[in-house]
Amino acid sequence: MKEVPAKMQRKGDWTPSEGSFKRFLVWLDQGTDTEGQSYLGMRDRLVTYFDRKNCSSPDELADETLNRVTRRLEEEGDIDSEAPAKYCYTVARYVFLESLRSGRDKHVSIDEASEQGKRELAAAEVDGDKELKEKMLSCLDHCTSKLDEPSRDIIIRYYYGKEREKIDNRRAMAESLGISVNALSIRACRIRDKLEGCVGNCAKEV
Amino acid sequence: MTNSYDNQTLFAYLLGGLSDSELERLDEMTFTDGEFAEAVKIAEKDLVDSYVAGELSGPMREQFESHYMASPIRREKLAFARALDKFASHAANAPDPTPAPLRVAETKASSGWFKELLESLGLLGGGNRRFAFAAGAAMVVLLLLGGWLIFRGSAEKRASDIATGTNKIENPPLPTATPLPTASGVPITVPTPNTKPTISPTQEATPTPKRTVEPSQPTVAMFVLPAPLRGAGPLTQVKLAPGTQFAQFSMGLESNDYTSYRVELHGAGGGPSLWNSGTMPSRGSKTASLSAKIPTKLLRSQIYSFTVSGITKDGTAENIGDYSFRVIK
């Protein structure tokens, strides 16, 4: 069957072919093969962006944005007006405004959402969510055991303690590692991201 | 670029406290400036951790609850932060990489050699005084029993030797023993009553005495689980040495108000019961402890919980408490 050119398809109908997706990855990498990491990073930023806007389906809107950029690349062959990250942001902003106008994405009002959040929090605090907590603890146990030893040590020591004790503890840790407190926080943040991803997957499996 | 944004600005960004134009500018920077994006990530984690630690107050706390918690994704981050906080506390409180299976509190009743014995066995350090005393007393009883058995075995053997004229045995027979891991996980050998060595009559004819020993007993590791704490207490670590066939847990009760009890073992996430004790009648004493002997093949390296229920006279089961512990194999 003859493929319909990208320009002739409606926005919502278009799905990237393998070729167009590869072209998009190459464009995003800007000459460095990141083996898909740039794509994952960009998708993550988009999801976070739409989530901060309180969109109810941040994943869908992120995919919609990536599809549009990929389609534009397919149509134009290249996009050199802006750097990939800036271009993706511009498209994301349009997608967000469009979703607001069309009412396609059900935006949750802050009041409504925070009420729901408070209800969930209250439920969690009265032990309604005990099972989830235990599951997360079990997954944390499993996921930290998969970390290399220095990372495991950092994540446990970095998050140990309260207020002053925590600050002093971090300063001492940074000193012992021979790095600045800022560098230590970046390192801990990356380990935590990895751990959070692992726990998220584990919690779904268990 | 990142350095020009202090945490207050980043917190305001995360809590919806910026003007539209400023918000848009920072939104764009989360895409175009990697350092800034990283700084926002770190600030977000700090913010959530501060909330978990109860360090946010006033308008900031209100904004967190009304704005930040409006999204399910962000509520998941909050749940993760809570779990990480708890996990880090437990892990950091563990005394060493091979933590003690027994966490029993210091007791005023223990003094002198008795206290030293408890300390040498790692029984002092945190938990419930009653357990410390009981566990220590149990050790003493076991040692006395062991000593008596050795003495009796030796005396019987001597009598037997005299009777059979084989009192020239160079190596006196030793009783077999059941390894009992100590708090530090190192097995100690305690003689058991039913493992008295028997000497075959044929040894009379043999120059080297041959001892017939009963088949080896199942290896049991014993652990005391402290009563559940109201706050977040340290999670008891249960280290099972290779070859251990059963883990015997003793769980202390605050009081003994029920006619019978039931103990169920669950995995960390709850779910179906992996083991249950059936109905265990109360022993009638004022205070009590319950015992559960679990085949170690049921246990993996993970967190488990015993759910203890008290059965009332009319047969109603009431939850008394959950005794959680982490198995390390």
Side-chain angles (χ1 to χ4, degrees):
Chain A
M1 200 173 104
K2 200 179 170 187
E3 202 174 302
V4 182
K7 277 185 181 177
M8 292 173 69
Q9 293 178 353
R10 286 187 304 153
K11 279 179 191 171
D13 297 340
W14 192 82
T15 48
S17 64
E18 198 181 325
S20 60
F21 185 65
K22 273 185 186 163
R23 183 178 295 143
F24 173 67
L25 292 184
V26 170
W27 173 77
L28 212 52
D29 277 351
Q30 293 286 287
T32 316
D33 185 7
T34 65
E35 296 177 332
Q37 290 305 309
S38 299
Y39 170 80
L40 294 174
M42 180 53 66
R43 193 177 182 283
D44 188 42
R45 284 182 201 188
L46 287 165
V47 172
T48 304
Y49 169 77
F50 289 115
D51 179 53
R52 289 202 184 117
K53 300 285 176 203
N54 287 321
C55 299
S56 62
S57 324
D59 281 283
E60 275 180 31
L61 295 177
D63 289 337
E64 172 68 20
T65 304
L66 293 170
N67 270 3
R68 287 197 193 183
V69 177
T70 310
R71 180 180 170 163
R72 176 79 192 274
L73 263 175
E74 176 88 355
E75 288 169 0
E76 306 293 325
D78 194 16
I79 301 169
D80 52 11
S81 57
E82 285 174 315
K86 172 81 190 294
Y87 187 78
C88 285
Y89 167 70
T90 307
V91 176
R93 198 165 156 269
Y94 275 109
V95 169
F96 170 63
L97 294 172
E98 216 174 83
S99 73
L100 277 182
R101 276 197 300 270
S102 68
R104 186 185 132 202
D105 183 85
K106 185 181 171 281
H107 288 263
V108 185
S109 78
I110 291 289
D111 287 344
E112 186 187 331
S114 68
E115 274 312 307
Q116 189 186 339
K118 282 176 188 169
R119 277 198 300 275
E120 284 186 18
L121 185 75
E125 281 177 353
V126 294
D127 248 358
D129 229 354
K130 192 179 164 194
E131 198 175 312
L132 176 70
K133 278 184 197 168
E134 294 204 349
K135 192 186 282 180
M136 284 191 100
L137 278 177
S138 169
C139 287
L140 258 171
D141 203 29
H142 166 73
C143 292
T144 44
S145 72
K146 283 165 70 181
L147 291 174
D148 57 84
E149 204 173 325
S151 299
R152 192 164 52 237
D153 189 45
I154 285 177
I155 204 77
I156 289 169
R157 287 171 61 199
Y158 188 84
Y159 289 104
Y160 176 70
K162 305 271 179 215
E163 296 175 334
R164 191 73 239 169
E165 183 192 13
K166 187 184 271 184
I167 293 166
D168 290 344
N169 182 34
R170 289 178 182 181
R171 191 169 295 142
M173 263 181 89
E175 256 176 45
S176 70
L177 291 168
I179 56 176
S180 67
V181 173
N182 194 40
L184 175 66
S185 63
I186 292 171
R187 207 179 279 187
C189 179
R190 286 179 183 161
I191 299 169
R192 179 168 167 167
D193 280 341
K194 203 190 278 183
L195 205 53
E196 200 167 347
C198 174
V199 168
N201 291 333
C202 164
K204 280 173 203 157
E205 283 169 17
V206 177
Chain B
M1 210 162 180
T2 305
N3 295 337
S4 62
Y5 290 92
D6 57 24
N7 264 1
Q8 289 310 310
T9 311
L10 297 176
F11 287 168
Y13 172 62
L14 293 163
L15 296 175
L18 296 180
S19 66
D20 284 352
S21 60
E22 188 66 354
L23 180 66
E24 206 168 293
R25 206 165 67 81
L26 298 194
D27 273 345
E28 185 177 329
M29 282 175 66
T30 60
F31 282 82
T32 58
D33 182 343
E35 270 186 46
F36 178 76
E38 194 117 48
V40 173
K41 270 188 175 186
I42 293 170
E44 183 175 7
K45 288 172 173 59
D46 285 346
L47 183 68
V48 175
D49 291 343
S50 300
Y51 180 79
V52 168
E55 292 162 9
L56 292 188
S57 58
M60 210 163 171
R61 185 181 173 89
E62 281 169 23
Q63 267 183 300
F64 186 91
E65 288 178 349
S66 64
H67 184 92
Y68 189 86
M69 278 169 38
S71 133
I73 291 179
R74 297 195 294 262
R75 287 198 290 276
E76 268 179 34
K77 288 180 181 175
L78 178 64
F80 177 78
R82 280 190 202 284
L84 183 59
D85 179 59
K86 199 171 179 182
F87 182 81
S89 301
H90 283 317
N93 283 332
D96 57 56
T98 51
L102 291 168
R103 290 177 191 281
V104 187
E106 185 168 7
T107 168
K108 284 179 185 169
S110 57
S111 61
W113 68 272
F114 186 71
K115 186 173 179 181
E116 277 174 27
L117 172 66
L118 292 180
E119 279 171 347
S120 71
L121 294 175
L123 293 173
L124 297 183
N128 189 315
R129 287 177 183 175
R130 214 178 294 141
F131 284 122
F133 195 85
M139 286 293 177
V140 171
V141 168
L142 285 170
L143 290 171
L144 289 174
L145 180 65
W148 179 75
L149 282 167
I150 290 169
F151 172 79
R152 198 185 69 164
S154 174
E156 280 178 1
K157 181 187 73 60
R158 274 198 304 272
S160 165
D161 288 348
I162 290 163
T164 57
T166 58
N167 54 346
K168 291 178 184 173
I169 299 169
E170 289 172 11
N171 301 313
L174 295 170
T176 54
T178 302
L180 177 69
T182 63
S184 57
V186 181
I188 58 171
T189 51
V190 178
T192 51
N194 58 350
T195 55
K196 181 172 70 69
T198 55
I199 300 168
S200 160
T202 58
Q203 69 185 50
E204 264 186 59
T206 54
T208 313
K210 194 188 270 182
R211 279 168 278 161
T212 308
V213 178
E214 288 178 17
S216 61
Q217 300 294 304
T219 311
V220 182
M222 294 171 73
F223 304 93
V224 177
L225 297 177
L229 301 171
R230 291 191 195 285
L235 194 65
T236 302
Q237 313 263 3
V238 167
K239 193 175 181 201
L240 296 173
T244 309
Q245 290 162 286
F246 292 94
Q248 184 152 341
F249 297 88
S250 175
M251 288 158 275
L253 302 175
E254 293 278 345
S255 58
N256 188 6
D257 301 326
Y258 296 88
T259 52
S260 56
Y261 296 88
R262 188 166 58 230
V263 180
E264 283 184 3
L265 177 70
H266 297 275
S273 166
L274 303 172
W275 176 94
N276 78 76
S277 64
T279 305
M280 304 160 81
S282 164
R283 287 180 192 163
S285 55
K286 203 170 184 182
T287 57
S289 67
L290 298 171
S291 180
K293 191 174 172 184
I294 310 293
T296 55
K297 63 184 178 190
L298 286 179
L299 303 170
R300 290 183 294 147
S301 288
Q302 65 167 71
I303 297 172
Y304 290 91
S305 188
F306 280 115
T307 302
V308 177
S309 306
I311 315 291
T312 59
K313 282 175 186 168
D314 63 3
T316 314
E318 290 177 2
N319 184 281
I320 295 175
D322 292 328
Y323 296 70
S324 295
F325 57 96
R326 177 183 290 122
V327 169
I328 300 166
K329 279 183 122 174

XYZ file of all heavy atoms in Angstrom, chain B residues 250-298:
356
model
N 10.959 -15.634 68.447
C 10.217 -15.427 69.683
C 9.717 -13.984 69.681
O 10.486 -13.053 69.460
C 11.144 -15.670 70.870
O 10.461 -15.358 72.046
N 8.418 -13.823 69.859
C 7.818 -12.483 69.832
C 7.196 -12.169 71.182
O 6.344 -12.912 71.665
C 6.726 -12.433 68.754
C 7.283 -12.447 67.344
S 6.079 -13.026 66.147
C 6.288 -14.780 66.241
N 7.649 -11.128 71.757
C 7.131 -10.753 73.074
C 5.784 -10.046 72.971
O 5.522 -9.346 72.000
N 4.945 -10.272 73.966
C 3.642 -9.596 73.999
C 3.632 -8.606 75.162
O 4.213 -8.885 76.220
C 2.516 -10.613 74.188
C 2.404 -11.716 73.139
C 1.321 -12.709 73.553
C 2.089 -11.139 71.771
N 2.998 -7.501 74.964
C 2.892 -6.485 76.032
C 2.136 -7.052 77.239
O 2.477 -6.822 78.372
C 2.149 -5.256 75.499
C 2.903 -4.497 74.427
C 3.943 -3.556 74.983
O 3.903 -3.270 76.194
O 4.794 -3.119 74.222
N 1.070 -7.786 76.916
C 0.290 -8.399 77.996
C -0.304 -9.702 77.455
O -0.172 -9.995 76.271
C -0.841 -7.449 78.414
O -1.650 -7.182 77.291
N -0.939 -10.426 78.330
C -1.459 -11.722 77.923
C -2.977 -11.734 78.175
O -3.453 -12.322 79.136
C -0.748 -12.809 78.740
C -1.081 -14.193 78.236
O -1.756 -14.343 77.217
N -0.624 -15.204 78.949
N -3.709 -11.051 77.308
C -5.124 -10.821 77.563
C -6.056 -11.745 76.798
O -7.270 -11.624 76.881
C -5.497 -9.372 77.190
C -4.675 -8.373 77.978
O -4.359 -8.671 79.150
O -4.338 -7.327 77.405
N -5.502 -12.631 75.995
C -6.351 -13.446 75.127
C -6.257 -14.924 75.515
O -5.270 -15.357 76.114
C -5.937 -13.264 73.660
C -6.150 -11.858 73.170
C -5.162 -10.889 73.316
C -7.352 -11.476 72.584
C -5.354 -9.591 72.877
C -7.558 -10.180 72.147
C -6.562 -9.238 72.300
O -6.764 -7.969 71.876
N -7.286 -15.634 75.110
C -7.290 -17.061 75.449
C -6.357 -17.844 74.513
O -5.816 -18.872 74.894
C -8.712 -17.648 75.346
O -9.226 -17.314 74.063
C -9.613 -17.089 76.418
N -6.232 -17.348 73.321
C -5.299 -17.990 72.389
C -4.812 -16.947 71.374
O -5.322 -15.821 71.309
C -5.967 -19.161 71.673
O -7.132 -18.740 71.030
N -3.845 -17.376 70.572
C -3.225 -16.453 69.620
C -3.045 -17.145 68.267
O -3.066 -18.371 68.174
C -1.850 -16.007 70.135
C -1.935 -15.210 71.407
C -1.930 -15.856 72.643
C -2.058 -13.838 71.379
C -2.035 -15.133 73.821
C -2.151 -13.100 72.553
C -2.140 -13.754 73.767
O -2.252 -13.037 74.911
N -2.829 -16.326 67.285
C -2.491 -16.875 65.963
C -1.403 -15.989 65.346
O -1.455 -14.768 65.471
C -3.731 -16.909 65.057
C -3.456 -17.653 63.753
C -4.709 -18.018 62.978
N -5.515 -16.863 62.648
C -6.814 -16.761 62.873
N -7.458 -17.750 63.456
N -7.465 -15.688 62.531
N -0.433 -16.622 64.715
C 0.656 -15.871 64.075
C 0.659 -16.208 62.589
O 0.556 -17.388 62.219
C 2.024 -16.257 64.697
C 3.145 -15.472 64.030
C 2.025 -16.007 66.192
N 0.748 -15.186 61.772
C 0.816 -15.407 60.322
C 2.029 -14.699 59.767
O 2.345 -13.590 60.195
C -0.437 -14.850 59.642
C -1.650 -15.741 59.803
C -2.860 -15.225 59.028
O -2.706 -14.206 58.325
O -3.901 -15.843 59.138
N 2.674 -15.334 58.820
C 3.833 -14.718 58.168
C 3.424 -14.196 56.795
O 2.780 -14.896 56.018
C 4.957 -15.755 58.007
C 6.209 -15.288 57.278
C 7.001 -14.291 58.122
C 7.103 -16.455 56.915
N 3.789 -12.940 56.538
C 3.491 -12.331 55.240
C 4.767 -11.759 54.640
O 5.687 -11.410 55.365
C 2.502 -11.176 55.388
C 1.172 -11.602 55.920
N 0.178 -12.097 55.123
C 0.676 -11.610 57.180
C -0.880 -12.400 55.866
N -0.596 -12.109 57.129
N 4.763 -11.614 53.318
C 5.854 -10.909 52.648
C 5.728 -9.432 52.934
O 4.759 -8.987 53.562
N 6.704 -8.656 52.432
C 6.730 -7.233 52.755
C 5.472 -6.503 52.297
O 4.987 -5.599 52.957
C 7.940 -6.592 52.114
N 4.941 -6.896 51.163
C 3.778 -6.189 50.637
C 2.456 -6.751 51.142
O 1.409 -6.483 50.575
N 2.495 -7.512 52.206
C 1.269 -8.134 52.708
C 0.980 -9.360 51.865
O 1.821 -10.233 51.738
N -0.156 -9.401 51.241
C -0.482 -10.523 50.373
C -0.852 -11.763 51.166
O -1.116 -11.694 52.370
N -0.872 -12.909 50.481
C -1.324 -14.136 51.150
C -0.377 -14.547 52.271
O 0.805 -14.215 52.255
C -1.310 -15.169 50.024
C -0.369 -14.638 49.019
C -0.432 -13.152 49.108
N -0.953 -15.278 53.197
C -0.158 -15.764 54.324
C 0.804 -16.838 53.821
O 0.409 -17.761 53.113
C -1.125 -16.335 55.364
O -0.421 -17.087 56.294
N 2.080 -16.706 54.162
C 3.073 -17.692 53.732
C 3.157 -18.864 54.711
O 3.622 -19.950 54.382
C 4.450 -17.030 53.641
C 4.556 -15.815 52.723
C 5.912 -15.158 52.879
C 4.339 -16.221 51.269
N 2.727 -18.589 55.912
C 2.793 -19.591 56.977
C 1.853 -19.151 58.089
O 1.674 -17.950 58.293
C 4.236 -19.662 57.497
C 4.465 -20.571 58.668
C 4.861 -21.864 58.628
C 4.325 -20.251 60.065
N 4.970 -22.373 59.898
C 4.656 -21.387 60.807
C 3.944 -19.094 60.749
C 4.618 -21.425 62.190
C 3.911 -19.119 62.133
C 4.258 -20.284 62.840
N 1.210 -20.087 58.762
C 0.457 -19.672 59.938
C 0.565 -20.723 61.034
O 0.774 -21.908 60.780
C -0.992 -19.312 59.592
C -1.842 -20.518 59.405
O -2.234 -21.163 60.381
N -2.134 -20.856 58.150
N 0.440 -20.258 62.236
C 0.695 -21.118 63.390
C -0.515 -21.961 63.773
O -0.388 -22.876 64.579
C 1.062 -20.247 64.586
O -0.057 -19.436 64.924
N -1.686 -21.625 63.235
C -2.902 -22.209 63.777
C -3.185 -21.541 65.111
O -2.523 -20.562 65.466
N -4.115 -22.093 65.867
C -4.440 -21.476 67.157
C -3.469 -21.950 68.231
O -3.259 -23.146 68.408
C -5.883 -21.834 67.546
O -6.727 -21.429 66.473
C -6.310 -21.110 68.814
N -2.869 -20.963 68.909
C -1.911 -21.287 69.968
C -2.521 -20.863 71.298
O -2.735 -19.672 71.524
C -0.601 -20.523 69.755
C 0.032 -20.769 68.412
S 1.200 -19.473 67.990
C 2.606 -20.008 68.920
N -2.828 -21.825 72.175
C -3.441 -21.440 73.448
C -2.495 -20.600 74.306
O -1.287 -20.782 74.265
C -3.736 -22.782 74.115
C -2.930 -23.779 73.394
C -2.601 -23.257 72.046
N -3.086 -19.709 75.068
C -2.297 -18.878 75.968
C -1.723 -19.745 77.071
O -2.348 -20.708 77.527
C -3.194 -17.804 76.568
O -2.573 -17.240 77.682
N -0.511 -19.405 77.519
C 0.102 -20.215 78.574
C -0.356 -19.769 79.955
O 0.039 -20.327 80.949
C 1.621 -20.120 78.471
C 2.136 -20.894 77.278
C 3.625 -20.772 77.201
N 4.112 -21.273 75.926
C 5.299 -21.006 75.458
N 6.116 -20.239 76.132
N 5.677 -21.484 74.300
N -1.138 -18.707 79.980
C -1.742 -18.308 81.241
C -0.906 -17.409 82.115
O -1.379 -16.907 83.125
N 0.342 -17.174 81.756
C 1.141 -16.285 82.598
C 0.754 -14.837 82.317
O 0.073 -14.526 81.344
C 2.617 -16.498 82.330
O 2.875 -16.329 80.957
N 1.240 -13.954 83.196
C 0.849 -12.552 83.073
C 1.386 -11.941 81.778
O 0.727 -11.255 81.043
C 1.377 -11.775 84.277
C 0.612 -10.515 84.544
C 1.023 -9.935 85.879
C 0.201 -8.720 86.202
N 0.637 -8.122 87.467
N 2.648 -12.198 81.534
C 3.238 -11.770 80.271
C 3.537 -13.004 79.448
O 3.628 -14.104 79.986
C 4.530 -10.987 80.504
O 5.411 -11.802 81.243
C 4.259 -9.692 81.217
N 3.669 -12.829 78.178
C 3.858 -13.998 77.339
C 4.701 -13.667 76.131
O 4.908 -12.509 75.778
C 2.509 -14.523 76.892
N 5.167 -14.700 75.529
C 5.797 -14.535 74.232
C 5.319 -15.666 73.345
O 4.887 -16.712 73.841
C 7.313 -14.543 74.372
O 7.736 -15.815 74.767
N 5.340 -15.431 72.063
C 4.897 -16.441 71.117
C 6.095 -16.905 70.310
O 7.036 -16.146 70.085
C 3.838 -15.857 70.177
C 2.562 -15.374 70.845
C 1.696 -14.635 69.838
C 1.798 -16.555 71.436
N 6.016 -18.110 69.869
C 7.141 -18.667 69.149
C 6.674 -19.174 67.790
O 5.581 -19.720 67.669
C 7.715 -19.808 69.986
O 8.806 -20.359 69.322
N 7.482 -18.969 66.785
C 7.151 -19.464 65.444
C 8.403 -20.064 64.832
O 9.440 -19.398 64.779
C 6.653 -18.323 64.581
N 8.300 -21.302 64.413
C 9.450 -21.975 63.807
C 9.192 -22.102 62.306
O 8.276 -22.810 61.884
C 9.628 -23.349 64.449
C 10.923 -24.031 64.116
C 11.028 -25.318 64.932
C 12.206 -26.144 64.508
N 12.245 -27.419 65.235
N 9.983 -21.380 61.530
C 9.725 -21.290 60.092
C 10.828 -22.022 59.324
O 12.011 -21.766 59.545
C 9.736 -19.806 59.637
C 8.832 -18.956 60.549
C 9.329 -19.653 58.184
C 7.369 -19.268 60.457
N 10.442 -22.897 58.387
C 11.472 -23.505 57.530
C 12.145 -22.402 56.705
O 11.455 -21.568 56.104
C 10.686 -24.450 56.616
C 9.340 -24.596 57.264
C 9.099 -23.355 58.052
N 13.456 -22.376 56.708
C 14.157 -21.267 56.037
C 13.962 -21.294 54.519
O 14.189 -20.304 53.853
C 15.661 -21.299 56.349
O 16.151 -22.581 55.989
C 15.915 -21.021 57.810
N 13.519 -22.449 54.000
C 13.292 -22.488 52.547
C 12.143 -21.565 52.139
O 12.003 -21.193 50.984
C 13.072 -23.917 52.054
C 11.843 -24.591 52.618
C 11.773 -26.027 52.150
C 10.555 -26.697 52.787
N 10.520 -28.115 52.586
N 11.336 -21.179 53.135
C 10.241 -20.244 52.837
C 10.736 -18.797 52.780
O 10.018 -17.907 52.352
C 9.165 -20.311 53.935
C 8.252 -21.515 53.991
C 7.295 -21.367 55.154
C 7.461 -21.645 52.692
